[in-house]
Amino acid sequence: MIKDSNQINNIAVIGAGTMGIGIAQNFAQAGISVKLVDVLSEKLASSLDQIESNLRVFQEFHLIQEDPHDIVSRISPALFSEFGKILGKCDYVVETIPEILEEKKTILKNIEQINEDIIISSNTGSFQVTELAQGMKNPGRVIGVHYFNPAHIIPAVEIHAGEKTSPETLEITRNLMVRVGKIPVLVRKELPGFIINRLTGALEREIGFLLDEGVVTPEDLDAAIKASIGFRLACLGPMETEDMIGLDTSVRVSRRLFKVLNNATEPSPELVSRVNQGMLGVKSGKGWYDYTGKSMATVLDSQNKKLLRQLYLFNMLNKKSE
Ligand SMILES: NC(=O)c1ccc[n+]([C@@H]2O[C@H](COP(=O)([O-])OP(=O)(O)OC[C@H]3O[C@@H](n4cnc5c(N)ncnc54)[C@H](O)[C@@H]3O)[C@@H](O)[C@H]2O)c1
């Protein structure tokens, strides 16, 4: 097994979907060779163009110095049928196939049969590492690294270990994430939703209530969040904010508010109704907003540009405070 994250020069990313493409880009930007593997040749065919186009925007925002074409040349697409050959030459593997437990477990076992001691990182959004690694001969080399969409832009990743994940697997993975410019956050106990999905879940639950009760419109809610807690959270975390507000004030407000907050155990009726009408968001042309006449690529491109402006500032801010 690799002893040091600096020895990792070849990574296999299994699943060239929404997340896999961004993850492959991130490794390639850091100088690592990537094999991007998928069962569908059409996914592989479009992936390199997508990554090169992402990198051109990075270049526009002065987030990379290297030529996008040179970065892309480090990524080789490969069909899943070549998986066996590829894996023997890789130092680390990232699994990012759809969130179906049995499929993920099968992939993990396949990897184990081909390469006995490679570290396997799963980008699962909801499963725990202990359940993913169940039945494996060496569960010590399985770890969860939860990326955020878009994976090539959002700096943080949550690292979560299973009951049997070895300290070496954890250490190497954490160092690898630092090496590729991510901000790794360690989830110190196995629990559903890790850290960030629990927090966004709590926010979504209250948002559902406020919309269903007609307290605010979706447009006003977005404007309010972006100009208040959203504005502050990118540079001051909730704990720093609580120190700024005063912990005594926080206790008084929490005592009053917690009793009246929404405690639904199901998603909001309005959200469910929209889904039943096929209003799925950007991908179906309508969600909370109407995207009719705009391609998904155009909408995502414009959202990504806003995030990249923010990434540029975020990097500057973090450099200054070092
Ligand atoms: N989409 C998100 O916002 C997001 C965020 C964080 C984590 N995740 C997690 O990332 C993982 C992938 O999600 P996604 O949104 O990228 O899915 P996706 O459907 O966009 O992509 C999955 C890709 O895996 C490929 N695939 C399926 N079976 C395969 C196999 N056996 N071998 C190789 N490739 C295979 C599919 O063809 C597809 O291209 C899931 O576990 C999900 O929970 C997703």
Side-chain angles (χ1 to χ4, degrees):
M1 181 165 133
I2 288 281
K3 296 274 177 259
D4 185 320
S5 68
N6 289 324
Q7 294 173 325
I8 297 175
N9 295 312
N10 292 288
I11 295 187
V13 175
I14 318 286
T18 310
M19 299 302 285
I21 288 179
I23 294 170
Q25 176 181 331
N26 173 244
F27 286 132
Q29 267 178 248
I32 297 173
S33 297
V34 182
K35 293 273 189 242
L36 183 56
V37 182
D38 205 285
V39 278
L40 301 175
S41 54
E42 63 267 29
K43 286 271 183 171
L44 293 171
S46 59
S47 60
L48 295 192
D49 287 345
Q50 177 62 56
I51 294 172
E52 185 149 350
S53 137
N54 290 345
L55 286 164
R56 298 253 166 243
V57 190
F58 266 59
Q59 194 176 37
E60 209 182 294
F61 286 86
H62 309 288
L63 287 159
I64 48 169
Q65 267 80 52
E66 202 180 354
D67 185 80
H69 190 72
D70 294 342
I71 296 175
V72 171
S73 69
R74 287 198 277 276
I75 307 174
S76 329
L79 272 174
F80 188 67
S81 47
E82 298 167 51
F83 181 64
K85 254 193 313 192
I86 289 165
L87 214 61
K89 296 183 194 134
C90 286
D91 314 313
Y92 192 96
V93 56
V94 176
E95 165 289 298
T96 184
I97 68 165
E99 193 73 359
I100 304 164
L101 183 60
E102 283 317 311
E103 295 202 8
K104 286 193 185 282
K105 287 179 82 168
T106 305
I107 285 273
L108 263 51
K109 285 199 183 128
N110 284 343
I111 298 171
E112 182 165 65
Q113 276 164 11
I114 300 164
N115 190 324
E116 286 205 339
D117 60 6
I118 194 167
I119 294 180
I120 311 169
S121 137
S122 171
N123 180 33
T124 175
S126 65
F127 300 123
Q128 285 162 27
V129 170
T130 301
E131 65 186 326
L132 286 175
Q134 225 166 34
M136 290 182 69
K137 273 189 266 163
N138 178 6
R141 47 42 179 285
V142 183
I143 190 154
V145 176
H146 182 221
Y147 288 79
F148 297 92
N149 191 3
H152 60 297
I153 300 179
I154 305 293
V157 290
E158 289 175 305
I159 300 194
H160 54 113
E163 277 165 16
K164 298 191 174 153
T165 304
S166 73
E168 293 77 28
T169 299
L170 179 60
E171 203 44 33
I172 290 170
T173 299
R174 191 154 51 171
N175 290 341
L176 175 65
M177 288 298 109
V178 172
R179 180 179 154 201
V180 300
K182 289 289 181 192
I183 299 183
V185 178
L186 184 60
V187 183
R188 290 168 192 269
K189 264 187 185 174
E190 270 197 304
L191 85 176
F194 320 130
I195 301 166
I196 301 299
N197 283 357
R198 292 182 78 90
L199 295 176
T200 48
L203 191 61
E204 273 164 24
R205 182 159 66 177
E206 192 57 33
I207 286 172
F209 171 82
L210 295 172
L211 293 176
D212 284 353
E213 291 293 312
V215 176
V216 66
T217 64
E219 295 79 6
D220 285 352
L221 183 99
D222 273 351
I225 296 262
K226 286 192 277 189
S228 62
I229 53 174
F231 180 85
R232 196 169 54 201
L233 279 173
C235 51
L236 285 180
M239 314 318 296
E240 289 167 317
T241 301
E242 200 159 70
D243 273 352
M244 181 174 78
I245 291 169
L247 274 60
D248 50 339
T249 302
S250 187
V251 166
R252 278 183 217 114
V253 174
S254 301
R255 281 215 171 104
R256 243 179 92 70
L257 262 191
F258 281 12
K259 296 185 184 68
V260 296
L261 289 179
N262 185 26
N263 61 1
T265 54
E266 286 293 323
S268 103
E270 176 61 25
L271 178 63
V272 174
S273 151
R274 284 182 189 241
V275 171
N276 291 340
Q277 293 171 61
M279 297 165 74
L280 306 181
V282 181
K283 63 183 168 189
S284 72
K286 268 189 193 162
W288 295 106
Y289 295 97
D290 190 345
Y291 304 95
T292 312
K294 295 178 191 160
S295 73
M296 190 165 153
T298 313
V299 178
L300 294 182
D301 190 51
S302 127
Q303 289 177 346
N304 283 350
K305 283 187 175 164
K306 288 188 196 171
L307 289 170
L308 285 170
R309 267 185 215 113
Q310 175 133 325
L311 181 62
Y312 182 77
L313 293 173
F314 184 88
N315 288 346
M316 301 251 291
L317 200 70
N318 282 340
K319 256 190 215 135
K320 275 199 184 134
S321 59
E322 269 167 13

